[in-house]
Amino acid sequence: MILVVGSGIVGSWVAYQLSQSISDDIVVCDYAEHRGDGISGRNSGVLHSGIYYPHDSTKLRHCLRGYDLALDFFKKTKTPYELCGKFITVGSSGNLQNKKEKLFALYEKAKSYGINQIEIIENLSTLHPFLEGNLSLLIHKTGVVSVPEYLKNLWSACEERGVIFLKGKKCQIKEGEIYLVDEQTKEFERIEASAFVNAAGLFSDDLIRAAGNDQFEIRPNKGEYFRLKQNLPIKRLVYPLPEEHSTALGVHYTFHLNGEAYAGPNSNWAESKIDYKMQTHRKLFYDSLCNITSFYTEEDLSEGYVGLRPRLFRDGVSFPDFLMEQYPRNKPWIHLLGIESPGLTSAPSIGEEVAKRVKEFL
């Protein structure tokens, strides 16, 4: 039996990919009573092109591969999605000349990655007077997916292949042994697993620490979303040019396929891994949104929802990439650490690599 901890988008893709190539029973456990209550259930649903990530990063590799695998899955399962494209604009604030140079550098980077569905728009605010910044990139290889339908269809695909989901079961590791603890009865059950995959998201560091490796830490980073009273008159996502050396992309405009529109997310450190309270004042959020669009008034914003990013630190130093760590070295125990954005896009590819590693070990 292979045990996967975490029934979010990453853990479920790991289970699905394992079920494609390995005959062992595959069990997915989650401490929550409702699957998808964690990071995946508070996701904006954006399908990323890969344009932001360093050329030698694991994020880029899995984002590019995961994008293609995800689209294949959406078509196969009739999961609602839309390749709407997005603008990345220099906006209305800051050093615009410096931003223009960064925008052109981003364009060249995208071309070097093979992202050819991209163009420079030199008259954005003329074409769309409600948008800020005259210079922008238009990336056609970006979209949105209905996350609830995506998760539902992925879980169904897993179950059709015999994957078993256990809800309300928390995984613990003690003295090299794996246990499942019932969240209601608190009863312990020791698990004999031929392989173990830690896809516990915000709590992934707890498991690798319990396995004996204390060099990794997950710090929860809060991303808040404000709901917008109405959608922009154009059905595209709108992003600001991201800050250098930051994994946060800045407050942007996005929409869900159910018709709701949102501004966000921002980036604040959370007090804990269960801190989902809204803390940013609407005025501050509105001021950030005004960098990319003049379409809204402050009164058009109302509190939406809050998500948490699992920011990874190794030996106290920020590690801004995905990490697959096998530990202990003599066991097929794989820990997935720091799987934040573009985790939704990358999940199929991450699952594919994990399945390959497990198969080679077994």
Side-chain angles (χ1 to χ4, degrees):
M1 183 263 280
I2 298 173
L3 180 65
V4 179
V5 180
S7 63
I9 196 74
V10 174
S12 297
W13 262 108
V14 168
Y16 182 68
Q17 297 285 32
L18 284 167
S19 73
Q20 304 277 354
S21 57
I22 295 177
S23 59
D24 284 18
D25 291 335
I26 299 163
V27 175
V28 180
C29 73
D30 203 302
Y31 74 94
E33 281 296 327
H34 301 285
R35 295 180 294 187
D37 273 358
I39 297 171
S40 298
R42 296 169 178 268
N43 193 286
S44 64
V46 174
L47 300 169
H48 288 286
S49 65
I51 189 173
Y52 298 112
Y53 314 112
H55 70 93
D56 57 350
S57 66
T58 304
K59 281 186 176 181
L60 175 64
R61 175 163 55 86
H62 286 305
C63 186
L64 294 177
R65 172 67 175 158
Y67 181 98
D68 292 335
L69 292 174
L71 291 192
D72 288 343
F73 182 83
F74 299 159
K75 293 169 185 174
K76 177 181 176 182
T77 58
K78 295 181 172 55
T79 300
Y81 76 101
E82 181 175 343
L83 297 183
C84 56
K86 76 175 175 185
F87 289 115
I88 300 177
T89 173
V90 297
S92 61
S93 62
N95 186 320
L96 295 184
Q97 181 57 40
N98 183 256
K99 284 187 170 185
K100 288 179 180 179
E101 293 173 3
K102 291 179 180 178
L103 193 90
F104 278 102
L106 195 61
Y107 173 81
E108 293 300 330
K109 184 169 75 167
K111 301 293 282 187
S112 72
Y113 291 172
I115 304 171
N116 297 317
Q117 299 162 299
I118 182 171
E119 55 186 299
I120 293 176
I121 306 296
E122 296 185 338
N123 56 342
L124 179 66
S125 56
T126 301
L127 291 171
H128 307 291
F130 47 86
L131 297 183
E132 296 291 326
N134 211 32
L135 188 69
S136 75
L137 297 182
L138 172 56
I139 305 173
H140 296 280
K141 188 187 175 183
T142 299
V144 291
V145 61
S146 170
V147 175
E149 288 296 312
Y150 186 6
L151 287 168
K152 177 182 174 183
N153 291 341
L154 181 55
W155 293 330
S156 295
C158 285
E159 289 168 342
E160 287 173 4
R161 299 195 62 83
V163 175
I164 299 169
F165 286 88
L166 300 178
K167 297 181 288 185
K169 301 287 186 179
K170 186 175 182 179
C171 180
Q172 291 189 6
I173 299 174
K174 293 185 177 181
E175 299 179 351
E177 300 288 345
I178 301 172
Y179 297 86
L180 291 186
V181 184
D182 189 286
E183 285 289 272
Q184 292 186 343
T185 66
K186 303 305 178 184
E187 293 180 353
F188 279 71
E189 177 185 2
R190 191 169 72 86
I191 301 297
E192 293 283 350
S194 58
F196 168 76
V197 181
N198 170 11
L202 290 162
F203 302 94
S204 55
D205 59 336
D206 295 341
L207 288 176
I208 194 170
R209 191 177 302 118
N213 188 333
D214 62 0
Q215 69 178 137
F216 299 106
E217 178 190 4
I218 296 293
R219 299 179 189 175
N221 184 266
K222 185 183 298 185
E224 300 162 308
Y225 290 85
F226 273 73
R227 187 171 178 179
L228 300 169
K229 190 174 182 179
Q230 56 185 321
N231 292 35
L232 286 177
I234 183 172
K235 205 167 187 182
R236 294 196 191 279
L237 309 181
V238 185
Y239 281 60
L241 189 66
E243 297 290 334
E244 282 190 286
H245 312 301
S246 173
T247 58
L249 301 180
V251 171
H252 53 265
Y253 167 83
T254 186
F255 60 87
H256 295 180
L257 293 182
N258 63 4
E260 296 175 351
Y262 289 89
N266 55 1
S267 177
N268 292 310
W269 292 109
E271 295 178 359
S272 71
K273 294 178 180 180
I274 56 172
D275 175 18
Y276 288 101
K277 65 179 180 292
M278 186 77 72
Q279 71 182 58
T280 302
H281 192 276
R282 183 176 69 174
K283 176 65 164 61
L284 184 62
F285 215 94
Y286 172 69
D287 289 344
S288 295
L289 181 63
C290 285
N291 178 47
I292 62 172
T293 178
S294 58
F295 187 72
Y296 298 102
T297 66
E298 184 181 338
E299 289 67 35
D300 289 329
L301 280 68
S302 59
E303 290 188 4
Y305 62 98
V306 178
L308 293 177
R309 308 175 183 94
R311 289 280 164 81
L312 177 61
F313 287 75
R314 182 167 65 182
D315 297 324
V317 179
S318 177
F319 188 91
D321 203 358
F322 297 159
L323 187 64
M324 295 186 189
E325 186 77 2
Q326 184 176 331
Y327 193 88
R329 302 299 184 191
N330 63 338
K331 290 184 178 182
W333 288 17
I334 299 176
H335 304 267
L336 305 179
L337 305 168
I339 313 297
E340 55 169 326
S341 182
L344 182 82
T345 311
S346 304
S349 179
I350 293 171
E352 185 178 60
E353 181 169 332
V354 170
K356 181 180 179 182
R357 290 194 187 189
V358 170
K359 188 174 182 180
E360 288 174 351
F361 200 98
L362 298 180

